[in-house]
Amino acid sequence: MAEELALLVADVFEAAGALRRAGEALAGAEGQTQARWQLMSVVSEESLPVARAARRLGVARQGVQRIANELVRDGLAEFRDNPDHRTSSLLALTPSGRRALEAITARAEGAHRAMGEGIAQADLATLRALLRRLTEQTDQWAEAEAEAEAEAGTAAEAGGAKRGTRSRAATDRLPE
């Protein structure tokens, strides 16, 4: 089981790379990058603060902020007042941004038809469900690992506090 999962992980990374390259080509044909396309897609349904858009994309806020600033500079997006937070503006698409997103999306629809040719819709649905389940289980594992590490760190700090300021390794060598 572990070996098959390791092979699946390698396949997923390979597929992600191929899809990223295809995404760059699709977005590039419309004068954009995949990163700009992804951010425009995320804020297309509702305006979002940059931090929330970054969380949805699973990337660092600083990188999303840079891309948001570029989109605003190029007239594809704008910052709007956020009624819920004075210092965290909302990123929204402009009409030009919507047109750019629609052009990339139309190009992508044709590419997706070609990429999925010969693959049954039921197989794609099954694969999506399995990937979502694997993602959830991976996130649960990562959260449990982080909690275990935090608990181990707390225990180590408590052990160090009992012995003074020396490290645990150093105090373990001291005579009692």
Side-chain angles (χ1 to χ4, degrees), residues 26-44:
L26 290 165
E30 299 296 331
Q32 301 301 320
T33 65
Q34 181 176 352
R36 290 166 63 112
W37 176 20
Q38 288 174 333
L39 183 54
M40 286 190 292
S41 292
V42 165
V43 299
S44 66

Side-chain angles (χ1 to χ4, degrees), residues 130-140:
L130 287 170
L131 282 173
R132 283 193 306 273
R133 182 174 170 196
L134 178 60
T135 300
E136 289 170 9
Q137 288 183 201
T138 301
D139 287 343
Q140 289 169 0

Side-chain angles (χ1 to χ4, degrees), residues 85-151:
H85 199 282
R86 285 185 305 144
T87 61
S88 181
S89 299
L90 298 173
L91 183 66
L93 290 183
T94 62
S96 295
R98 290 206 178 278
R99 284 190 299 277
L101 179 59
E102 288 168 5
I104 298 169
T105 301
R107 190 175 291 276
E109 286 173 8
H112 293 157
R113 277 193 296 280
M115 289 175 201
E117 196 170 307
I119 302 173
Q121 190 154 349
D123 289 343
L124 288 173
T126 299
L127 180 58
R128 287 186 62 227
L130 287 170
L131 282 173
R132 283 193 306 273
R133 182 174 170 196
L134 178 60
T135 300
E136 289 170 9
Q137 288 183 201
T138 301
D139 287 343
Q140 289 169 0
W141 173 86
E143 288 172 17
E145 285 293 304
E147 288 174 13
E149 285 183 23
E151 289 175 12

Side-chain angles (χ1 to χ4, degrees), residues 39-103:
L39 183 54
M40 286 190 292
S41 292
V42 165
V43 299
S44 66
E45 291 183 26
E46 69 173 314
S47 303
L48 294 173
V50 168
R52 191 171 325 145
R55 280 192 300 276
R56 287 192 52 193
L57 290 168
V59 296
R61 184 202 55 79
Q62 293 85 348
V64 174
Q65 184 68 60
R66 180 185 56 77
I67 295 165
N69 292 343
E70 290 174 4
L71 290 172
V72 169
R73 179 197 68 211
D74 294 345
L76 300 172
E78 63 187 4
F79 289 114
R80 296 181 180 162
D81 289 338
N82 184 345
D84 296 328
H85 199 282
R86 285 185 305 144
T87 61
S88 181
S89 299
L90 298 173
L91 183 66
L93 290 183
T94 62
S96 295
R98 290 206 178 278
R99 284 190 299 277
L101 179 59
E102 288 168 5

